[in-house]
Amino acid sequence: MADDRLPLYQRLRDDMLVRISSGQWALDQAIPPEHELAAMHQVSVGTVRRAIDTLIEDRLLERKQGRGTYVRRPDFNASLFRFFRQLDSQGKRVVPTAQVLVCEKREAELTAAEALGVEQGAKLIYLERVRYVDEEPLLFEEIWLVSPAFDALLEVSLNDFGNLLYPFYESCCQQHVARANETLSIATANETLANTLQMVADQPVVTIERVALGFAGEALEYRRSRGDASSFRYQASIS
Amino acid sequence: MADDRLPLYQRLRDDMLVRISSGQWALDQAIPPEHELAAMHQVSVGTVRRAIDTLIEDRLLERKQGRGTYVRRPDFNASLFRFFRQLDSQGKRVVPTAQVLVCEKREAELTAAEALGVEQGAKLIYLERVRYVDEEPLLFEEIWLVSPAFDALLEVSLNDFGNLLYPFYESCCQQHVARANETLSIATANETLANTLQMVADQPVVTIERVALGFAGEALEYRRSRGDASSFRYQASIS
DNA sequence: TAGTGGTCTAGACCACGTG
DNA sequence: ACGTGGTCTAGACCACTAA
């Protein structure tokens, strides 16, 4: 039973969050109508709407007038597109292709262990991946995933990973990424990285560190992506 | 008279926005209580709350339970702090000091003219400024301001500009900055810039281009700030 | 036409901050 | 004790979507 001290709409929100994260309310599907949820929980429609509002603010739900309220599928490419120019000649977005180079069990290095909340040296799933746009390497990625949730990836052939990892996590490991925190910093390319990204050594590179979280806020993935800073651009609005 | 087709709470929002931007509701002061606004506009308190909610989302107002709803003073240092580490030994934020080097009327260069929506070559107010933390130069800034709104700055001695420009704009020119859009990109330092920032030439620098807008959304300032990328860090949450 | 979310009302009672 | 915003109710009517 939830904490009585919390407002109704927050307890309602928590209940709905469980239904979303458990898959009881499927992605891209409508949730029950507001009046029905109100009856189910013995609250007024206004309170249901308020709970839904908070989940919409967190981008987990989406209202469509006259049709219903839908569970939103997170689109993490939006992040990449925010950070890097990836537009074709018509100015449209391009989905980068990807090649996984390494997939193995490996002892966690310090930054990954801290990000995922495990002991340094604990065994994690480790991936290396390069992402291409128009055959040109754009990003080099090192990815750590918690074990044993993602152990199923070890059985996958390197060529059978698709271009998008998060949908693959869902189908292969039943793990759903709901949100992520990213930190961005700048360094210069060493020999190896410059080689991989086909750029000149000592030129600036952008590093994006991402911790991806499940619906309950548990850390699932730590990812460090590096790319040529000259193709980098980021926009923000402040007030 | 406002458009009848718009929902009440949006017309109410527009009305409140005018009172804020005109200064009728002063910065850091409480606005009238909700029930009073409801009576004034002949609507229910719920509708007033909804209008206030939208202005809070835009960070123009702030609710303080038991005290009232206040007009928020935008804090643009938050932006700088998001972009650069500026923490002292206790981990507290440091307000950088600043020195204005140039303040004159000058023909707009292309990027500034486009950002401010004026003809290239139009006369604008131009400032150059360096910002320091602990005596170390952190940022070099080039600033264009629309004319004639900011002409009063031409009469100010270079040493009389404070460390924060936006409050100075308010007291000196009666111009209020409400929000801004920033774009961030990476380049390498040329001789001159490296000299100003006391860094090694060809090392990466971050460029932050900012267009600052008034309450009505009119462009007031175009600013290009450059800093050593090695002290740069940016965080974002996505979902 | 039936069902959904979108807007709006006119109250009630509670929690918080200040005098 | 009083005034503020915070939560919640039980309706009404409108706008949009679909069959």
Side-chain angles (χ1 to χ4, degrees):
Chain A
M1 206 55 203
D3 192 336
D4 298 27
R5 293 166 304 182
L6 284 175
L8 264 184
Y9 74 92
Q10 285 186 27
R11 283 180 271 164
L12 194 48
R13 177 216 148 92
D14 291 345
D15 183 273
M16 295 170 68
L17 188 56
V18 169
R19 291 179 201 258
I20 295 169
S21 61
S22 70
Q24 181 180 343
W25 289 349
L27 292 175
D28 294 327
Q29 297 299 307
I31 69 175
E34 297 176 347
H35 66 85
E36 201 170 305
L37 289 168
M40 279 169 52
H41 292 85
Q42 303 275 293
V43 299
S44 79
V45 177
T47 302
V48 170
R49 284 184 64 80
R50 180 125 191 226
I52 291 177
D53 282 342
T54 71
L55 291 168
I56 285 172
E57 207 165 343
D58 290 348
R59 325 233 312 148
L60 292 172
L61 293 178
E62 190 177 2
R63 284 212 184 86
K64 303 188 181 180
Q65 174 156 175
R67 289 206 276 155
T69 301
Y70 289 72
V71 180
R72 203 177 154 276
R73 174 177 295 277
D75 174 16
F76 285 89
N77 274 319
S79 149
L80 253 197
F81 286 117
R82 279 208 324 243
F83 283 144
F84 284 91
R85 301 190 211 96
Q86 295 173 54
L87 307 176
D88 66 13
S89 44
Q90 281 85 49
K92 284 192 169 181
R93 287 181 170 188
V94 178
V95 176
T97 58
Q99 177 61 51
V100 174
L101 307 175
V102 175
C103 176
E104 62 185 32
K105 201 153 222 173
R106 183 184 285 201
E107 290 183 1
E109 54 170 66
L110 182 59
T111 49
E114 281 179 350
L116 296 175
V118 300
E119 296 286 311
Q120 186 178 6
K123 294 283 193 178
L124 297 175
I125 312 300
Y126 174 76
L127 300 178
E128 275 182 18
R129 193 164 85 129
V130 181
R131 307 187 75 173
Y132 301 87
V133 170
D134 293 339
E135 317 285 318
E136 307 249 322
L138 179 77
L139 286 176
F140 174 69
E141 302 188 310
E142 300 158 278
I143 301 170
W144 276 266
L145 296 157
V146 293
S147 182
F150 288 89
D151 283 3
L153 293 178
L154 296 170
E155 313 300 325
V156 177
S157 156
L158 293 187
N159 292 313
D160 291 349
F161 288 87
N163 288 331
L164 297 173
L165 279 185
Y166 290 165
F168 193 65
Y169 294 165
E170 288 178 12
S171 58
C172 184
C173 313
Q174 291 77 51
Q175 299 291 325
H176 301 262
V177 172
R179 54 184 142 262
N181 296 314
E182 299 192 333
T183 301
L184 196 148
S185 56
I186 313 293
T188 51
N190 61 27
E191 277 301 335
T192 330
L193 185 62
N195 225 25
T196 307
L197 293 176
Q198 296 180 11
M199 54 185 285
V200 179
D202 298 327
Q203 285 300 106
V205 289
V206 173
T207 302
I208 302 169
E209 292 175 280
R210 174 194 290 175
V211 181
L213 311 170
F215 281 105
E218 75 281 19
L220 297 178
E221 175 202 67
Y222 169 74
R223 178 187 294 210
R224 188 163 56 225
S225 308
R226 292 196 178 93
D228 184 346
S230 65
S231 62
F232 165 85
R233 187 158 286 255
Y234 179 74
Q235 295 196 24
S237 289
I238 58 178
S239 58
Chain B
M1 205 55 201
D3 192 336
D4 296 24
R5 294 167 304 180
L6 285 177
L8 263 184
Y9 74 92
Q10 286 187 26
R11 282 180 271 165
L12 194 47
R13 176 216 148 90
D14 291 344
D15 183 272
M16 295 171 69
L17 188 55
V18 169
R19 290 176 201 262
I20 295 170
S21 60
S22 71
Q24 181 178 346
W25 289 348
L27 292 175
D28 294 328
Q29 297 300 309
I31 69 175
E34 297 175 347
H35 67 83
E36 201 170 305
L37 291 168
M40 279 169 53
H41 292 86
Q42 303 276 292
V43 298
S44 79
V45 177
T47 302
V48 171
R49 286 184 63 78
R50 180 128 190 221
I52 292 177
D53 283 342
T54 71
L55 291 168
I56 285 173
E57 208 165 344
D58 290 347
R59 323 231 317 149
L60 292 172
L61 293 178
E62 189 177 4
R63 283 210 184 87
K64 303 188 181 181
Q65 173 156 168
R67 289 208 274 154
T69 301
Y70 288 73
V71 180
R72 202 176 155 278
R73 175 178 293 276
D75 174 16
F76 285 90
N77 274 321
S79 148
L80 253 198
F81 286 117
R82 280 208 322 244
F83 283 145
F84 285 89
R85 300 189 212 96
Q86 295 174 55
L87 307 175
D88 66 11
S89 45
Q90 281 86 48
K92 284 191 169 180
R93 288 180 170 188
V94 178
V95 176
T97 57
Q99 177 61 52
V100 174
L101 307 176
V102 174
C103 176
E104 61 184 33
K105 200 152 221 173
R106 183 184 283 201
E107 291 184 1
E109 54 171 66
L110 181 58
T111 48
E114 282 179 351
L116 296 175
V118 301
E119 296 288 312
Q120 185 177 3
K123 293 282 191 179
L124 297 176
I125 311 301
Y126 174 76
L127 300 178
E128 276 183 18
R129 193 166 83 130
V130 181
R131 307 187 74 173
Y132 302 86
V133 170
D134 291 341
E135 316 287 318
E136 307 248 321
L138 180 77
L139 285 176
F140 174 69
E141 302 187 311
E142 299 160 278
I143 301 170
W144 275 266
L145 296 157
V146 291
S147 183
F150 287 88
D151 283 2
L153 293 178
L154 296 170
E155 312 301 325
V156 177
S157 156
L158 293 188
N159 292 314
D160 291 349
F161 288 88
N163 289 329
L164 296 173
L165 279 184
Y166 291 165
F168 193 66
Y169 293 165
E170 288 177 13
S171 59
C172 184
C173 314
Q174 291 78 50
Q175 298 291 325
H176 301 261
V177 172
R179 53 185 144 260
N181 296 315
E182 297 192 334
T183 301
L184 197 148
S185 56
I186 312 293
T188 52
N190 63 26
E191 274 306 330
T192 330
L193 185 62
N195 225 25
T196 307
L197 294 176
Q198 295 179 12
M199 53 184 287
V200 179
D202 298 328
Q203 286 299 105
V205 289
V206 173
T207 302
I208 302 169
E209 291 175 281
R210 174 195 288 174
V211 181
L213 311 170
F215 281 105
E218 74 282 18
L220 297 178
E221 177 202 65
Y222 170 74
R223 180 187 294 211
R224 188 164 56 226
S225 307
R226 294 195 177 93
D228 184 345
S230 64
S231 63
F232 166 85
R233 188 157 286 256
Y234 180 74
Q235 294 193 24
S237 290
I238 58 177
S239 58

